[in-house]
Amino acid sequence: MDYFSIIYKDPLFSIIIIIAIITLVAIADYTKNRYKQKIKQQSLSDFAKNFENYGTDENIGSLLDTSKYPASTFTFIANIYVTNGNFGEAIKMYLTILDKTQNLGEKIQILELLGIAYYKAGFMQRAKNIFIEILKHNPRNTKVLLLLVQTYEILGEYKNALSVVSCLEELDEKVDEVKKYIQILILINDSLMPLNEREVEILNINKKSKITKKIVLNYFKTYNIQRFWDLICDSNDIINYIDILWNINNPPIDQIKINKQVADVYRAKGIICDDIECDIFELETLRVINKYSNKVGDLGFKYKCSYCQGIYPFEIFRCPTCAEIGGIHLVLEIMEANNEKYNYIL
Ligand SMILES: [Zn+2]
């Protein structure tokens, strides 16, 4: 037996070899991770530089260098700027903090806040780029995924929005209604698909959705008015669609009389003149004014979010404040019309 055979068969030698291998692997792994971290940090820093044309704040920068307070204090101030709608200052602060922060986790957090500030300020393209960059580092960040869906939606990139919704589905997020809503938006905006095919698909999705009916009604009002009347006369509750009906002056009287709620709108408008009272207070008030007074009443509309109670003067489907879909309710306002009394032929 030679010298080396003895060494190889020595159990102590084997243990030393195993420990050496484990140590080497650990060192290699640590070095690899450090390198990866550095590359990620560098790529984030390079990415942030793309936005610096908005300007960093030198005063805040030097304050950050000398201050004993952590960067989170400055982030807190920037968040207050966002709350108050001072997005320019907030963006400058975030960019400055981003420039001074070395920690990868903190950098991503600030990048997220910066993306939200751009989103709220209406810089959708910048917000989109930032959200995509964050997702490269953290693809399971559901908050950013949801923000990216909204950003794509505002940019009109509905197919991309749907891809992100699929990612959220894989993460077990409840996005079933959002998915149908985006699918409807894709169909409505798909000018290449023949109208009849589009109609079938829209109706199929709408049947299963709780939140898309108003969008679909608006679509059919433009593209297939008969389908519009069929759908609306089939509705049990039309309170949220009164604004659409109010702007149509030539309804098919015989058809709409089947649905009292729809007919009430035209009683209030003075187009149907009978003595049947309207169920909704505002409509009944207008019916009485139009029938018995020389004054002409009209309806104004506002849109209220039932989730955050925000009120908007224009029609929306997704609340711009809380981003919820399907919670917008119509608020009716009686007002005096400026024009002369209508003379409808009955
Ligand atoms: Zn809201």
Side-chain angles (χ1 to χ4, degrees):
M1 196 175 283
D2 62 27
Y3 173 73
F4 287 108
S5 308
I6 293 164
I7 287 178
Y8 287 142
K9 284 188 179 171
D10 184 348
L12 187 63
F13 179 76
S14 307
I15 290 166
I16 289 168
I17 292 287
I18 290 166
I19 291 172
I21 291 170
I22 291 170
T23 313
L24 271 174
V25 169
I27 290 170
D29 199 43
Y30 174 75
T31 317
K32 197 175 121 195
N33 283 340
R34 284 276 299 187
Y35 179 71
K36 265 189 173 174
Q37 190 98 340
K38 216 171 173 185
I39 292 285
K40 276 187 180 178
Q41 232 164 32
Q42 189 56 45
S43 80
L44 271 185
S45 301
D46 291 346
F47 176 75
K49 282 198 176 79
N50 293 330
F51 300 96
E52 278 177 10
N53 55 351
Y54 210 98
T56 50
D57 193 318
E58 278 178 25
N59 295 331
I60 300 283
S62 45
L63 201 59
L64 265 165
D65 286 336
T66 54
S67 169
K68 56 180 189 258
Y69 296 110
S72 57
T73 312
F74 297 92
T75 313
F76 179 73
I77 298 167
N79 294 349
I80 294 173
Y81 276 133
V82 171
T83 312
N84 293 334
N86 193 346
F87 300 115
E89 284 304 318
I91 288 166
K92 258 190 208 172
M93 271 190 101
Y94 288 136
L95 283 169
T96 314
I97 302 165
L98 202 58
D99 192 40
K100 302 285 175 187
T101 307
Q102 298 306 320
N103 181 286
L104 182 68
E106 280 175 23
K107 254 186 189 303
I108 289 177
Q109 273 178 10
I110 295 158
L111 212 50
E112 188 177 314
L113 292 168
L114 177 65
I116 293 170
Y118 274 133
Y119 174 87
K120 290 190 174 172
F123 295 104
M124 291 303 157
Q125 202 63 40
R126 288 177 179 206
K128 179 180 101 176
N129 293 341
I130 287 177
F131 296 146
I132 291 172
E133 185 64 25
I134 294 170
L135 290 167
K136 278 186 201 164
H137 298 272
N138 184 6
R140 299 172 77 85
N141 187 332
T142 49
K143 187 182 170 192
V144 172
L145 282 166
L146 284 165
L147 281 164
L148 187 59
V149 172
Q150 293 158 35
T151 310
Y152 276 136
E153 190 187 318
I154 294 170
L155 287 168
E157 298 177 30
Y158 304 121
K159 286 184 181 168
N160 288 334
L162 191 63
S163 310
V164 184
V165 170
S166 306
C167 297
L168 283 160
E169 263 184 327
E170 282 175 26
L171 293 172
D172 287 335
E173 288 293 312
K174 287 180 185 158
V175 284
D176 197 38
E177 286 297 331
V178 180
K179 188 178 181 179
K180 287 174 207 149
Y181 166 74
I182 301 283
Q183 283 173 327
I184 290 277
L185 290 180
I186 290 174
L187 287 165
I188 284 175
N189 290 286
D190 186 352
S191 49
L192 295 175
M193 190 186 256
L195 276 178
N196 50 349
E197 274 179 42
R198 250 202 283 180
E199 192 172 313
V200 172
E201 290 209 28
I202 288 173
L203 287 171
N204 267 339
I205 296 167
N206 185 50
K207 223 183 278 172
K208 297 171 215 152
S209 165
K210 294 182 193 127
I211 59 169
T212 57
K213 190 155 185 185
K214 192 159 189 185
I215 307 169
V216 171
L217 280 170
N218 270 319
Y219 171 80
F220 282 124
K221 187 187 156 200
T222 309
Y223 291 99
N224 186 344
I225 192 74
Q226 186 51 52
R227 181 71 67 193
F228 167 82
W229 289 115
D230 293 345
L231 268 180
I232 204 140
C233 288
D234 226 22
S235 304
N236 297 321
D237 185 4
I238 61 120
I239 180 90
N240 282 322
Y241 316 135
I242 292 175
D243 53 343
I244 311 178
L245 293 168
W246 195 255
N247 293 316
I248 302 175
N249 287 324
N250 53 347
I253 302 287
D254 290 339
Q255 186 178 2
I256 62 169
K257 277 187 173 171
I258 299 164
N259 187 322
K260 179 168 186 304
Q261 290 184 44
V262 178
D264 277 356
V265 176
Y266 295 99
R267 287 190 178 96
K269 250 175 117 63
I271 291 178
I272 296 176
C273 262
D274 51 25
D275 289 325
I276 299 171
E277 285 185 9
C278 301
D279 295 333
I280 296 168
F281 173 78
E282 288 85 352
L283 295 182
E284 176 61 3
T285 309
L286 283 173
R287 184 186 76 83
V288 172
I289 290 172
N290 286 333
K291 192 161 184 182
Y292 298 107
S293 164
N294 283 327
K295 299 276 185 195
V296 179
D298 200 356
L299 265 186
F301 305 103
K302 282 185 178 163
Y303 301 84
K304 186 177 179 183
C305 173
S306 56
Y307 293 101
C308 71
Q309 311 305 317
I311 296 181
Y312 308 95
F314 43 83
E315 187 171 25
I316 42 170
F317 298 106
R318 187 193 277 278
C319 175
T321 307
C322 70
E324 289 291 342
I325 316 172
I328 303 296
H329 292 295
L330 189 64
V331 180
L332 305 177
E333 282 185 338
I334 300 169
M335 55 176 74
E336 187 176 353
N338 294 325
N339 51 333
E340 302 219 336
K341 193 154 184 156
Y342 313 108
N343 283 312
Y344 291 113
I345 301 160
L346 303 171

